């Protein structure tokens, strides 16, 4: 894990867990050794973080009073809370954890009354469990490839249970309650394809960048979606940047 990500996770953990938090608990939550944890605590303190406590007693994060508090309306707080609570219906575990950490970071900087509103029992999302299939591949790697514009080698099992191998140029993710989908340009078919992430058998980076081609691919895809009489909601969003629906990969 990158040093910046590690320090951010430590800050998130200090905000999220009831204080004081022991060094052992912090090390377990952040996935580092105790020795590394002590170094990270020292790094954060040197950078200006107000962290009280010491080894053997536990640590407590004190938000810097010099920073202006964030302020949201009660309706905005409710929208944030419900959005994060609803994410398990459409997201993968890494995305869900990231959203919860982000919310904890926001709540930690709210004035006391608004922080209490964010944890109020009235702000909960309840829904029956779904039979949504979860992906079995590393979604973090796939998301990174979308951002970094790196090609991916897939082993894919289609809806008719046929297995194929192909290199793709991943353009973006589509999240829904039924499936997690990956929009990509398939070099094997020389066309756009939508891959069901739960049907990806394996995925690995090829080491090839498609950065010079991303903009033209998205432009072509948006053009196709515009020609449809009734584009789907995802395709409408693509008019601004990317995304979509398309033919299931085959």
């Amino acid at each position: 894990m990158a040093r910046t990500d590690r320090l951010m996770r430590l800050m998130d953990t200090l905000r999220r867990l009831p204080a004081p938090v022991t060094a052992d608990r912090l090390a377990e939550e952040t996935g580092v050794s105790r020795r590394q944890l002590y170094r990270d605590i020292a790094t954060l303190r040197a950078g200006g973080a107000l962290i009280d406590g010491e080894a053997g007693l536990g640590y407590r994060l004190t938000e810097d009073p010099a920073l202006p508090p964030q302020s949201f309306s009660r309706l905005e707080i409710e929208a944030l809370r419900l959005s994060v609570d609803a994410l398990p219906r459409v997201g993968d575990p890494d995305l869900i954890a990231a959203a919860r950490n982000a919310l904890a970071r926001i709540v930690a900087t709210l004035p006391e009354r608004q922080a209490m509103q964010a944890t109020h029992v009235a702000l909960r999302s309840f829904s029956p469990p779904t039979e949504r299939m979860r992906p079995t591949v590393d979604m973090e790697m796939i998301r990174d490839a979308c951002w970094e514009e790196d090609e991916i080698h897939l082993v894919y099992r289609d809806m008719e249970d046929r297995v194929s191998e192909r290199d793709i140029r991943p353009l973006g993710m589509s999240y829904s309650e039924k499936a997690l989908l990956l929009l990509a340009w398939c070099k094997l078919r020389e066309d756009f394809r939508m891959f069901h992430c739960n049907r990806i058998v394996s995925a690995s980076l090829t080491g090839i960048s498609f950065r010079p081609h991303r903009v033209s691919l998205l432009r072509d895809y948006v053009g196709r979606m515009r020609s449809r009489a009734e584009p789907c909601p995802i395709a409408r969003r693509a008019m601004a940047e990317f995304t979509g629906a398309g033919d299931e990969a085959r």
Side-chain angles (χ1 to χ4, degrees), residues 9-20:
R9 177 177 292 186
L10 177 55
M11 288 289 286
D12 288 340
T13 304
L14 284 165
R15 289 185 174 108
R16 178 168 48 86
L17 297 180

Side-chain angles (χ1 to χ4, degrees), residues 169-200:
R169 294 172 173 176
L171 299 174
M173 307 298 303
S174 173
Y175 295 86
S176 72
E177 292 193 10
K178 292 184 179 180
L180 178 59
L181 305 173
L182 171 64
L183 171 66
W185 173 264
C186 177
K187 296 175 71 175
L188 176 66
R189 303 303 184 196
E190 296 187 339
D191 202 355
F192 296 103
R193 287 293 184 268
M194 185 64 74
F195 296 91
H196 292 239
C197 292
N198 60 290
R199 291 185 168 274
I200 298 176

Side-chain angles (χ1 to χ4, degrees), residues 215-242:
V215 173
S216 60
L217 286 173
L218 290 175
R219 186 182 297 116
D220 290 346
Y221 183 74
V222 169
R224 278 193 202 184
M225 294 301 101
R226 281 181 172 156
S227 67
R228 294 190 176 185
E230 187 61 36
C232 67
I234 300 171
R236 286 195 293 270
R237 195 164 70 245
M239 307 309 179
E241 161 50 10
F242 94 83

Side-chain angles (χ1 to χ4, degrees), residues 7-189:
L7 296 176
M8 184 70 74
R9 177 177 292 186
L10 177 55
M11 288 289 286
D12 288 340
T13 304
L14 284 165
R15 289 185 174 108
R16 178 168 48 86
L17 297 180
V21 192
T22 65
D24 285 340
R25 180 70 187 280
L26 287 171
E28 178 183 359
E29 289 283 333
T30 55
V32 300
S33 66
R34 288 183 61 177
R35 177 176 295 182
Q36 182 63 60
L37 175 73
Y38 298 147
R39 287 197 291 263
D40 288 345
I41 291 285
T43 299
L44 290 174
R45 283 172 167 167
L50 304 180
I51 302 175
D52 300 324
E54 58 187 49
L57 299 176
Y59 295 93
R60 179 190 305 272
L61 175 65
T62 303
E63 296 295 337
D64 190 344
L67 296 176
Q70 297 191 74
S71 182
F72 296 92
S73 70
R74 189 171 65 186
L75 192 59
E76 288 171 337
I77 292 173
E78 183 172 354
L80 289 171
R81 173 85 258 179
L82 294 180
S83 296
V84 172
D85 286 348
L87 194 57
R89 295 200 297 270
V90 298
D92 58 85
D94 288 340
L95 193 66
I96 295 165
R100 289 173 175 166
N101 285 338
L103 182 62
R105 194 181 311 158
I106 292 172
V107 171
T109 61
L110 291 175
E112 182 178 1
R113 177 176 175 81
Q114 292 184 333
M116 291 178 62
Q117 289 174 346
T119 57
H120 196 283
V121 70
L123 305 183
R124 289 294 180 270
S125 173
F126 297 98
S127 62
T130 65
E131 297 182 359
R132 186 168 180 267
M133 298 296 293
R134 300 292 178 181
T136 56
V137 294
D138 183 358
M139 294 308 303
E140 181 177 1
M141 182 273 287
I142 291 178
R143 276 195 297 270
D144 286 346
C146 293
W147 284 106
E148 299 300 326
E149 299 160 7
D150 293 326
E151 291 188 3
I152 297 176
H153 179 76
L154 290 185
V155 177
Y156 187 74
R157 186 184 303 276
D158 68 17
M159 303 291 279
E160 297 180 5
D161 233 23
R162 296 172 300 193
V163 176
S164 63
E165 294 190 36
R166 58 188 79 195
D167 290 342
I168 65 168
R169 294 172 173 176
L171 299 174
M173 307 298 303
S174 173
Y175 295 86
S176 72
E177 292 193 10
K178 292 184 179 180
L180 178 59
L181 305 173
L182 171 64
L183 171 66
W185 173 264
C186 177
K187 296 175 71 175
L188 176 66
R189 303 303 184 196

